């Protein structure tokens, strides 16, 4: 049974530093959040069970790059939407998008595959990754995301994400429509 708890874990024991940094940032911003700890969520089906417990918008986060691997993007889309590169390439002025490799993901976001989250942008101090948000992500009151590790999930107010968290990470989003 997945149990929703308010705020950060009672102890940092067994938690990775990158996860603790997320809680520190959210607390410093005065953002209220709820958390569920769970087994590693590696598929959207497992995430669906977690998001049902969170009662939040299921969000798929895709780490993309151009063919030359010089431009990087974090795309947030609803979990039930399908992604085709041609649908977004023209909107952002970049052709030939593909999935970026794990090395770039760790270098820029300090995240490993399966843990991709908008909160990883807090680790991109140079602004190397451009945030893309499908407009449908913002329709719900709450959004679910990982705290840079896929063994926990957070429930955040969409308004807090857009007006407190993203501005604090200094990554102005580009809105897209898929």
């Amino acid at each position: 049974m997945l149990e929703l708890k308010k705020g950060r874990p009672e102890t940092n024991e067994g938690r990775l530093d990158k996860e603790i940094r997320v809680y520190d940032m959210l607390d410093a911003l005065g953002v209220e959040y709820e958390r569920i700890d769970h087994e590693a969520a590696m598929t959207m089906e497992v995430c669906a069970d977690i998001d049902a417990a969170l009662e939040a918008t299921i969000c798929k986060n895709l780490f993309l790059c151009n063919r030359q691997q010089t431009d990087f993007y974090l795309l947030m889309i609803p979990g039930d939407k399908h992604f085709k590169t041609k649908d977004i390439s023209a909107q952002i002025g970049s052709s030939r998008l593909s999935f970026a490799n794990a090395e770039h993901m760790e270098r820029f976001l300090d995240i490993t595959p399966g843990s991709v989250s908008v909160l990883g942008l807090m680790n991109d101090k140079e602004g190397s990754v451009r945030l893309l948000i499908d407009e449908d992500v913002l329709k719900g009151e709450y959004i679910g995301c990982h705290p840079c590790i896929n063994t926990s999930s957070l429930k955040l107010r969409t308004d807090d994400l857009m007006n407190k968290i993203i501005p604090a990470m200094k990554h102005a989003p580009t809105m897209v429509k898929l």
Side-chain angles (χ1 to χ4, degrees):
M1 176 104 172
L2 298 171
E3 184 181 353
L4 197 58
K5 299 179 181 180
K6 288 204 177 282
R8 69 187 307 132
E10 292 179 18
T11 175
N12 292 345
E13 187 175 325
R15 307 277 177 170
L16 295 177
D17 182 55
K18 59 185 162 187
E19 179 182 4
I20 300 306
R21 288 193 317 263
V22 168
Y23 302 134
D24 290 345
M25 176 189 68
L26 295 176
D27 292 347
L29 293 171
V31 172
E32 292 184 15
Y33 56 96
E34 293 179 275
R35 184 191 87 258
I36 291 179
D37 294 326
H38 48 76
E39 295 297 318
M42 297 299 287
T43 65
M44 286 307 294
E45 290 76 24
V46 172
C47 290
D49 292 338
I50 295 164
D51 286 327
L54 287 174
E55 297 179 341
T57 298
I58 297 172
C59 188
K60 196 172 1 182
N61 298 279
L62 306 175
F63 188 56
L64 307 168
C65 66
N66 62 355
R67 183 173 48 166
Q68 299 82 5
Q69 297 185 21
T70 55
D71 296 325
F72 296 89
Y73 307 90
L74 177 62
L75 172 63
M76 298 174 66
I77 61 173
D80 58 356
K81 265 196 178 182
H82 296 286
F83 166 71
K84 294 181 180 166
T85 59
K86 69 179 176 79
D87 293 342
I88 194 164
S89 293
Q91 293 180 60
I92 63 169
S94 179
S95 60
R96 307 278 311 228
L97 291 177
S98 63
F99 291 98
N101 63 38
E103 290 80 21
H104 286 114
M105 189 182 300
E106 289 183 59
R107 176 177 156 209
F108 295 125
L109 304 177
D110 192 20
I111 292 179
T112 55
S115 300
V116 179
S117 166
V118 63
L119 298 175
L121 292 172
M122 66 182 272
N123 300 312
D124 179 28
K125 304 292 186 203
E126 319 311 75
S128 301
V129 180
R130 183 172 165 194
L131 176 59
L132 309 174
I133 302 177
D134 181 87
E135 59 187 26
D136 288 339
V137 167
L138 306 180
K139 289 184 176 175
E141 183 178 1
Y142 294 98
I143 191 161
C145 64
H146 293 308
C148 297
I149 188 75
N150 67 356
T151 53
S152 292
S153 294
L154 302 179
K155 178 180 182 178
L156 304 166
R157 286 192 174 282
T158 304
D159 186 66
D160 285 341
L161 178 67
M162 295 304 293
N163 296 307
K164 292 180 181 179
I165 300 167
I166 291 174
M169 295 186 300
K170 297 179 175 41
H171 280 76
T174 299
M175 302 309 296
V176 296
K177 183 174 177 65
L178 298 176

